[in-house]
Amino acid sequence: MAQPVGIKDVARAAGVSVGTVSNVINRPDTVAAETRARVLSAIDRLGYVRSESARQLRAGRSRIMGLLVLDMGNPFFVDVARGAERAARDAGLGVMVCNSAESAGEEAEYLSLFAEQRVRGVLLTPADATGRNIASFRRHGIPFVLVDRVSEGTTECSVSVDDVAGGALAVRHLVDAGHRSIAYVSGPPGFTQVRDRRTGALNALAEAGLGPECLRELPTERLDVAAGRDAGARLLGLGDRRPTAVFCANDLLALGVLQAMYSAGVKVPEDLAIVGYDDIEFAAAAAVPLTSVRQPAVTMGALAAEMLLEETEEGGVGGAGGAGAGRHEHRRVVLQPELVVRRSSLSAR
């Protein structure tokens, strides 16, 4: 295997010093035009590519931020990444996107990788409900911003959506349509969003004078379409005791429930109303367009990246060892959700 071309090879080919090559790359105005042309010709001829990682190690400052999300198969997180990438690119940075697959173990491995790579900072949607991974990562002194999470028990910045309000929007809509027996397909109970959306649902029932028994929770191990289909099968197994409406903790679960109902000949929304959460692109394109609680995912990713950039600006780091320790003030940004009503929930009781 051929060895990569180094800066010494360029210097030898151009008949100049290594320092001159470095100046041509980093400070071209300090080098005479003829010499600069000779060095650039050698770079082009040899196919030299600067080692960005080596440069970053020397400078002690990376041009990469990490983004670790729960599930890159979920279009919601794709939109979060899109917003973060846009903000990072505007600042001249790149984004390393990793997927924990809702696994605390994989999350720990990726956080270790980020530390090894000395990334500028990390945008993180935690998979570990215990907080141990965050506590371990904090020791590295690398700034991070929590995304789609409220920073309970932490001092770091966070960007999230008011999921209690979102759960209330969904169930209030179903109650207003006449439903008095509602299922909540909730996902893993360890996730804060799942619990908060359930709290909002119960709040909406209480507002209407209805008790918690009107909400039947169906937890799932994951937040994907397959888990939604499984929840749909459980709903079908209830027979005459089946609720008349379903609120799902995200749109992928809702689409899975919709598939299960379609396969069984259950009409949506006539026999069962469905409301999802996130308002991913596929929600509007479903066979029965899906009512959903919209989260501003792109905005969330962009804001999180901007907060991380603000924290890591020269002299602005408030973490341990930062050049301007104590200057950065951590913030908690909570965005508001919006209900988008479509055909999946429009039948009146």
Side-chain angles (χ1 to χ4, degrees):
M1 181 181 294
Q3 292 296 315
V5 175
I7 193 170
K8 291 182 180 179
D9 300 313
V10 174
R12 190 180 305 114
V16 299
S17 69
V18 169
T20 298
V21 177
S22 178
N23 285 337
V24 169
I25 295 170
N26 298 298
R27 295 176 295 278
D29 292 343
T30 66
V31 182
E34 182 181 345
T35 303
R36 187 166 67 242
R38 193 162 71 248
V39 171
L40 291 174
S41 176
I43 287 174
D44 183 60
R45 189 168 66 253
L46 296 175
Y48 169 74
V49 177
R50 177 171 62 172
S51 174
E52 181 64 17
S53 60
R55 187 194 70 79
Q56 291 174 179
L57 286 173
R58 289 193 297 272
R61 193 164 175 80
S62 172
R63 292 180 57 243
I64 298 295
M65 68 170 62
L67 171 62
L68 182 54
V69 300
L70 291 177
D71 180 12
M72 280 306 293
N74 186 339
F76 167 75
F77 288 112
V78 174
D79 285 343
V80 169
R82 192 152 51 89
E85 190 275 336
R86 185 180 302 163
R89 186 178 65 241
D90 289 345
L93 273 65
V95 179
M96 180 191 300
V97 182
C98 297
N99 176 28
S100 71
E102 302 178 19
S103 163
E106 292 192 34
E107 176 182 84
E109 292 178 6
Y110 279 123
L111 288 175
S112 294
L113 174 64
F114 289 153
E116 291 170 6
Q117 295 296 318
R118 304 186 189 183
V119 296
R120 175 76 64 93
V122 174
L123 308 178
L124 171 64
T125 303
D128 177 22
T130 70
R132 285 192 291 265
N133 286 343
I134 288 179
S136 178
F137 184 70
R138 191 181 283 115
R139 296 198 297 265
H140 297 290
I142 298 174
F144 62 90
V145 174
L146 299 181
V147 184
D148 196 29
R149 286 289 193 281
V150 176
S151 54
E152 298 291 352
T154 71
T155 59
E156 285 76 23
C157 290
S158 65
V159 182
S160 63
V161 166
D162 188 341
D163 284 315
V164 174
L169 283 174
V171 172
R172 191 178 297 122
H173 167 67
L174 292 171
V175 169
D176 288 346
H179 297 282
R180 297 296 181 265
S181 177
I182 301 169
Y184 176 43
V185 178
S186 61
F191 289 164
T192 304
Q193 303 101 312
V194 166
R195 297 195 302 271
D196 286 351
R197 292 166 195 177
R198 179 179 183 274
T199 297
L202 291 173
N203 289 348
L205 290 174
E207 289 171 8
L210 302 172
E213 69 279 0
C214 294
L215 188 73
R216 180 176 189 136
E217 185 168 1
L218 297 175
T220 63
E221 293 184 358
R222 296 183 61 82
L223 289 161
D224 55 21
V225 173
R229 284 195 296 266
D230 176 72
R234 282 184 277 161
L235 282 169
L236 290 167
L238 295 176
D240 293 339
R241 296 177 293 116
R242 187 176 70 222
T244 61
V246 180
F247 167 43
C248 297
N250 76 2
D251 284 342
L252 295 184
L253 290 172
L255 291 172
V257 171
L258 179 61
Q259 288 180 7
M261 296 303 114
Y262 182 81
S263 297
V266 174
K267 295 180 180 180
V268 175
E270 292 82 359
D271 299 327
L272 184 74
I274 302 177
V275 176
Y277 205 105
D278 291 338
D279 195 33
I280 62 175
E281 183 178 356
F282 299 138
V288 179
L290 186 66
T291 294
S292 185
V293 178
R294 176 179 293 164
Q295 297 199 82
V298 174
T299 299
M300 194 182 303
L303 278 174
E306 289 166 6
M307 292 167 74
L308 186 61
L309 289 166
E310 175 187 300
E311 183 171 355
T312 58
E313 280 299 313
E314 196 71 41
V317 178
R327 297 181 186 177
H328 174 77
E329 294 185 4
H330 292 302
R331 292 183 291 136
R332 177 186 296 179
V333 175
V334 181
L335 304 174
Q336 291 303 308
E338 173 190 357
L339 181 69
V340 180
V341 178
R342 300 189 181 96
R343 192 158 67 87
S344 71
S345 65
L346 285 180
S347 64
R349 303 303 297 172

